[in-house]
Amino acid sequence: MTHDQDIETLIVAAHALTRVAALETANETPAAQWRTLTILRDHGALRIGELARLSRVTQPGMTRLVGQMADHGLVARTTDAADSRATVVEVTPLGLEALQTWLLQLTAALAPHFDDLQPEEWDALRTTASVLMRKLDRTRTAAADTAEVTR
């Protein structure tokens, strides 16, 4: 197997794992909401356009989603101090609590699927997760640096 195939297998498995967990929790909340809360948790307050780009949805779609989330107290909207036409979105404590609850539900739903893992398999998963988080942190840092230069 090549490195590219390893990466592809990882991506496909992660997507499948997410779908299984979502189905098993029977949570009716759109995945876009959880993705948006996670992005805001990880990146801090963002303008609607940047949030839409990072979430890979249209700006009008993100505007609708943010409006619904604001109505439920999950996010707060403010006017951008640098451009009064732009809206900045920030996750609220209630939004962080909802996200954490959902992550716990996902973990609980998936835990039985991993009951039969051997200690060395847990070590492999822990190493894989650590490598992925390190790579994602580098990607986020590079993206933030690029965004700062273009402002």
Side-chain angles (χ1 to χ4, degrees):
M1 199 176 231
T2 68
H3 293 302
D4 286 349
Q5 290 170 322
D6 290 337
I7 292 169
E8 178 185 326
T9 300
L10 185 62
I11 292 167
V12 170
H15 282 287
L17 193 61
T18 302
R19 285 190 305 274
V20 166
L23 288 171
E24 290 193 14
T25 63
N27 188 305
E28 296 293 322
T29 304
Q33 176 177 302
W34 301 124
R35 185 172 54 248
T36 300
L37 290 172
T38 302
I39 290 168
L40 291 170
R41 179 199 64 193
D42 294 348
H43 292 271
L46 294 168
R47 291 171 81 164
I48 291 264
E50 180 64 6
L51 185 55
R53 185 186 72 77
L54 290 172
S55 193
R56 298 185 60 225
V57 299
T58 65
Q59 189 163 338
M62 182 55 69
T63 299
R64 277 190 305 279
L65 178 62
V66 164
Q68 293 166 353
M69 292 169 65
D71 290 346
H72 289 97
L74 302 174
V75 298
R77 296 176 288 194
T78 57
T79 301
D80 189 334
D83 181 355
S84 62
R85 299 168 298 169
T87 299
V88 175
V89 182
E90 182 176 19
V91 66
T92 64
L94 182 62
L96 290 174
E97 183 181 324
L99 178 61
Q100 185 58 37
T101 298
W102 177 72
L103 290 171
L104 290 171
Q105 290 171 349
L106 286 178
T107 302
L110 288 175
H113 296 279
F114 293 87
D115 281 347
D116 61 345
L117 290 186
Q118 299 301 310
E120 61 274 7
E121 291 172 310
W122 279 111
D123 290 342
L125 280 178
R126 193 172 297 108
T127 299
T128 301
S130 177
V131 167
L132 289 174
M133 291 308 293
R134 187 178 75 240
K135 298 308 270 178
L136 288 171
D137 286 343
R138 286 184 188 163
T139 301
R140 283 188 203 118
T141 300
D145 291 346
T146 301
E148 197 61 36
V149 168
T150 59
R151 285 185 189 162

